[in-house]
Amino acid sequence: MKKRVLITGGAGFIGSHLCARLLRENNDVLCVDNFYTGSRSNVAELAHQSAFELLRHDVSFPLYVEVDEIYNLACPASPVHYQRDPVQTTKTSVMGAINMLGLAKRLRIPVLQASTSEVYGDPDVHPQPEAYRGRVSITGPRACYDEGKRCAETLFFDYQRQHRLPIRVARIFNTYGPHMHPQDGRVVSNFIIQALTGEPITLYGDGSQTRSFCYVDDLVEGLVRLMAMDQGLEAPVNLGNPVEITIAELAHRIIDLCGSGSAIVYRPLPQDDPTQRCPDIGRAQNLLHWTPKVALDDGLKRTIAYFEALLAGPGGTVSPLLRAAS
């Protein structure tokens, strides 16, 4: 059955891929974004479709629309962006959740919250299962995002208990792919741009810290399956790739895939940066029958091709956005 789906943060990295996926499945899509980090270019190829509508709006203010489902993805997700205006980051997470939950309550429809692995902080349990309560600094520079997302989860489960609202909460681990913002400061985009432009690869710490990287198509598949669940959801669900890699190994892999001669330079590790991050995806496997399928090298090749095209720009000129990031 055709549905009208609201995606907040729909012009962002993950949101734009979700918009495209739901349009391919013959849904009407209302993409809402304030373009703080999202970009019209991410959804430019969708704009000609009659089933697609783009609305500029900040979710920290109420929104009055008629839809059948809500994916709440609105919030800057990289430290560079969410630390630029930390008060607004917290407002986006908390007020955005309240406003989307209020809309879902009025319409009696399912609403999905894009939470984050950052709710686990710098974990002392590895890999991280959903039952782990986290080790998060509530006063550090990352707290605006970490605690904002934790509060949003609280609101979602309180709305479920108090109003019997059909909710879904996805804890998203590191995701990468085309449409990543070239200036978001995240490790995959940073390394690729530096490798393609011949700049030194900036490695924070000694490179022994670990992450796991999920390609965006796999992540979107998990979100769609989570929304489609018939039964109620009693707990969050981790969505990420359980294959772990050190940041140093990632740097060398990207250098090789780009055919780059970039050297590696070391910088101090940022405050509260986690030393390990890897999901336990047992719940997603059992509930959603979901496991990531795209191997890291394959996903990196697709992402490198995207940034190569950005670097070339129209007519072979260097994209201003990418030039500023290099």
Side-chain angles (χ1 to χ4, degrees):
M1 183 180 70
K2 188 171 187 176
K3 294 174 289 190
R4 180 166 166 79
V5 183
L6 166 62
I7 303 174
T8 71
F13 161 45
I14 295 172
S16 59
H17 287 273
L18 181 59
C19 286
R21 165 68 182 267
L22 294 176
L23 287 168
R24 287 196 299 271
E25 295 181 349
N26 197 37
N27 296 292
D28 289 327
V29 172
L30 173 58
C31 170
V32 169
D33 208 295
N34 69 351
F35 303 112
Y36 181 68
T37 58
S39 171
R40 292 180 187 274
S41 64
N42 286 342
V43 292
E45 294 182 357
L46 311 178
H48 69 281
Q49 300 188 41
S50 60
F52 179 76
E53 182 180 354
L54 179 61
L55 174 65
R56 183 169 194 149
H57 180 80
D58 187 327
V59 296
S60 60
F61 297 94
L63 179 65
Y64 303 99
V65 293
E66 302 296 321
V67 292
D68 301 305
E69 291 176 351
I70 302 170
Y71 290 82
N72 185 36
L73 275 60
C75 190
S78 76
V80 168
H81 292 141
Y82 68 63
Q83 291 176 16
R84 185 177 299 160
D85 189 345
V87 173
Q88 184 59 38
T89 295
T90 303
K91 287 174 67 177
T92 299
S93 289
V94 177
M95 295 306 300
I98 289 171
N99 289 327
M100 290 306 107
L101 286 163
L103 177 61
K105 177 190 170 187
R106 179 176 70 82
L107 299 173
R108 303 307 305 172
I109 60 171
V111 55
L112 183 149
Q113 168 67 7
S115 190
T116 172
S117 61
E118 296 294 336
V119 301
Y120 299 122
D122 187 5
D124 49 16
V125 171
H126 191 76
Q128 293 83 58
E130 292 89 347
Y132 176 55
R133 295 184 179 183
R135 181 168 168 261
V136 179
S137 167
I138 62 174
T139 59
R142 301 170 71 100
C144 59
Y145 184 68
D146 302 1
E147 292 295 330
K149 288 290 191 177
R150 285 163 69 98
C151 184
E153 286 196 19
T154 298
L155 286 162
F156 265 69
F157 285 97
D158 281 341
Y159 263 76
Q160 180 192 59
R161 286 185 287 265
Q162 188 170 340
H163 303 295
R164 300 183 183 276
L165 194 65
I167 66 161
R168 293 94 169 88
V169 175
R171 288 181 177 166
I172 298 172
F173 282 68
N174 293 70
T175 304
Y176 71 101
H179 297 179
M180 292 185 79
H181 195 294
Q183 294 172 283
D184 68 5
R186 286 189 269 195
V187 64
V188 171
S189 52
N190 271 5
F191 286 179
I192 290 175
I193 290 169
Q194 289 167 340
L196 289 176
T197 56
E199 297 293 322
I201 301 288
T202 307
L203 202 61
Y204 293 94
D206 62 5
S208 64
Q209 65 269 37
T210 65
R211 296 292 185 272
S212 58
F213 296 96
C214 184
Y215 189 67
V216 65
D217 289 354
D218 284 332
L219 187 277
V220 166
E221 175 67 24
L223 292 175
V224 170
R225 292 191 186 199
L226 184 57
M227 179 61 88
M229 285 182 60
D230 290 331
Q231 69 268 35
L233 183 70
E234 301 300 325
V237 176
N238 286 340
L239 293 179
N241 194 323
V243 179
E244 199 171 2
I245 185 173
T246 68
I247 300 302
E249 184 182 348
L250 177 70
H252 288 291
R253 190 170 295 192
I254 288 175
I255 288 171
D256 290 343
L257 290 172
C258 290
S260 173
S262 292
I264 293 178
V265 296
Y266 293 86
R267 298 285 184 267
L269 197 65
Q271 182 180 340
D272 297 331
D273 193 61
T275 55
Q276 289 182 308
R277 184 62 60 72
C278 182
D280 178 332
I281 61 167
R283 181 172 289 164
Q285 290 171 320
N286 292 333
L287 289 178
L288 311 178
H289 307 291
W290 175 87
T291 301
K293 292 182 169 54
V294 179
L296 181 59
D297 278 4
D298 292 337
L300 287 175
K301 288 174 185 176
R302 299 178 201 177
T303 310
I304 290 166
Y306 169 76
F307 281 113
E308 283 178 327
L310 267 189
L311 184 62
T317 60
V318 177
S319 162
L321 192 61
L322 192 52
R323 189 191 302 118
S326 64

